[in-house]
């Protein structure tokens, strides 16, 4: 399980390097004592940083994996991206001063996922959008209605997989992670109005894919 690969001990192994032994120092005892004390202080600070990072970010591990999975459509790639995103998040954690850890982490996951998509030259990375389409008329439609239109979960997954990455992303963030328009706009680095139009387009395309698949089964 991905959670097992991101447990406390593995994070420590991955993020912190073991310090050299004090016997390597050939100095006066006072100098050695000072170096040892300084090292202990640095280790304590690192442990405190790691504990703080884990408490803020690890609760959002499932959300990170969910977004990566829907963007990449490959479980192993999703796990690799989440590992990389958490490493990047840890390295940048000192610069995080906000209160929305999930949105901050998902931004890193999204950017890491798109980097991999570009590297693999995915053809459906982006698609043109009609910015005049708005989601207000469809906003009352619940996540269950959109993403559980059929009792067959595989049918929904297959329909989602056929959508471009940008549409899979917007549906995942809105209907599975229940993020606000502002949070999605921050994560996807687009204006809130674009979030609305993209979401409307994604809903419509998903309905089309589901209707086509349900029709084939009848």
């Amino acid at each position: 399980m991905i959670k097992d690969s991101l447990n406390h001990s593995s994070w420590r192994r991955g993020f912190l390097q073991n310090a050299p032994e004090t016997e390597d120092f050939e100095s006066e005892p006072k100098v050695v004592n000072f170096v040892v004390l300084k090292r202990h202080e640095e280790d304590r600070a690192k442990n405190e940083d790691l504990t703080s990072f884990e408490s803020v970010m690890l609760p959002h591990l499932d959300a990170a994996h969910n977004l990566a999975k829907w963007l990449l459509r490959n479980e192993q790639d999703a796990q690799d991206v989440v590992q990389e995103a958490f490493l990047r998040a840890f390295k940048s954690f000192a610069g995080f001063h906000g209160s929305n850890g999930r949105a901050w982490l998902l931004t890193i996951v999204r950017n890491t996922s798109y980097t991999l998509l570009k590297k693999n030259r995915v053809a459906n990375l982006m698609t043109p959008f009609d910015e005049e389409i708005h989601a207000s008329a469809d906003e009352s439609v619940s996540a269950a209605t959109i993403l559980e239109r059929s009792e067959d979960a595989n049918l929904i997954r297959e329909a989602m997989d056929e959508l471009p990455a940008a549409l899979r992303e917007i549906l995942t963030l809105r209907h599975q992670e229940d993020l606000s328009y502002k949070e999605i706009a921050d994560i996807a680095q687009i204006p809130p109005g674009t979030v609305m139009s993209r979401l409307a387009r994604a809903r419509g395309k998903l309905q089309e894919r589901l209707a086509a698949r349900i029709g084939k089964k009848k």
Side-chain angles (χ1 to χ4, degrees):
M1 295 293 292
I2 188 169
K3 286 188 176 181
D4 295 333
S5 67
L6 295 177
N7 61 23
H8 187 77
S9 60
S10 64
W11 278 115
R12 289 181 182 277
R13 289 194 299 270
F15 293 138
L16 302 179
Q17 299 294 328
N18 291 326
E21 297 295 332
T22 59
E23 285 77 8
D24 293 336
F25 291 98
E26 296 180 358
S27 294
E28 295 295 327
K30 289 184 179 180
V31 175
V32 173
N33 290 337
F34 172 78
V35 171
V36 171
L37 178 61
K38 183 177 180 181
R39 179 177 300 140
H40 286 168
E41 291 176 347
E42 291 174 349
D43 289 344
R44 183 169 63 252
K46 288 180 180 179
N47 289 335
E48 290 175 354
D49 289 343
L50 180 59
T51 300
S52 178
F53 174 81
E54 290 176 337
S55 65
V56 174
M57 294 301 161
L58 286 187
H60 309 305
L61 176 60
D62 288 342
H65 177 250
N66 191 45
L67 178 59
K69 179 185 66 177
W70 279 112
L71 279 175
L72 300 170
R73 297 179 292 184
N74 180 283
E75 177 61 26
Q76 187 56 56
D77 285 346
Q79 292 190 25
D80 291 344
V81 159
V82 170
Q83 291 273 14
E84 176 65 22
F86 266 81
L87 285 172
R88 292 183 181 183
F90 181 78
K91 292 177 181 178
S92 304
F93 189 63
F96 172 69
H97 303 295
S99 58
N100 194 338
R102 180 172 64 160
W104 185 74
L105 176 62
L106 291 182
T107 301
I108 298 175
V109 172
R110 176 193 185 270
N111 293 340
T112 307
S113 297
Y114 272 86
T115 297
L116 181 60
L117 288 173
K118 290 177 182 178
K119 182 179 179 181
N120 293 338
R121 297 180 181 180
V122 175
N124 69 344
L125 179 61
M126 294 295 289
T127 187
F129 297 101
D130 183 356
E131 303 300 342
E132 297 302 319
I133 300 175
H134 295 286
S136 58
D138 291 331
E139 185 57 25
S140 60
V141 180
S142 68
T145 303
I146 294 294
L147 298 182
E148 297 178 9
R149 192 61 61 101
S150 168
E151 294 180 357
D152 188 346
N154 288 330
L155 198 65
I156 300 169
R157 179 182 57 77
E158 292 169 0
M160 283 275 287
D161 282 347
E162 291 180 354
L163 300 178
L167 301 188
R168 296 196 305 272
E169 172 187 59
I170 206 79
L171 287 171
T172 300
L173 293 175
R174 180 62 178 171
H175 290 304
Q176 294 188 25
E177 298 306 326
D178 198 28
L179 297 180
S180 68
Y181 287 138
K182 183 182 184 306
E183 288 174 319
I184 296 172
D186 290 342
I187 292 170
Q189 302 167 32
I190 56 177
T194 303
V195 172
M196 295 176 66
S197 62
R198 193 170 296 185
L199 182 59
R201 182 178 178 87
R203 287 166 170 161
K205 289 298 183 182
L206 180 60
Q207 290 175 10
E208 290 177 9
R209 297 293 192 275
L210 284 174
R213 290 184 170 276
I214 292 172
K216 289 179 181 180
K217 285 182 172 289
K218 291 183 179 179

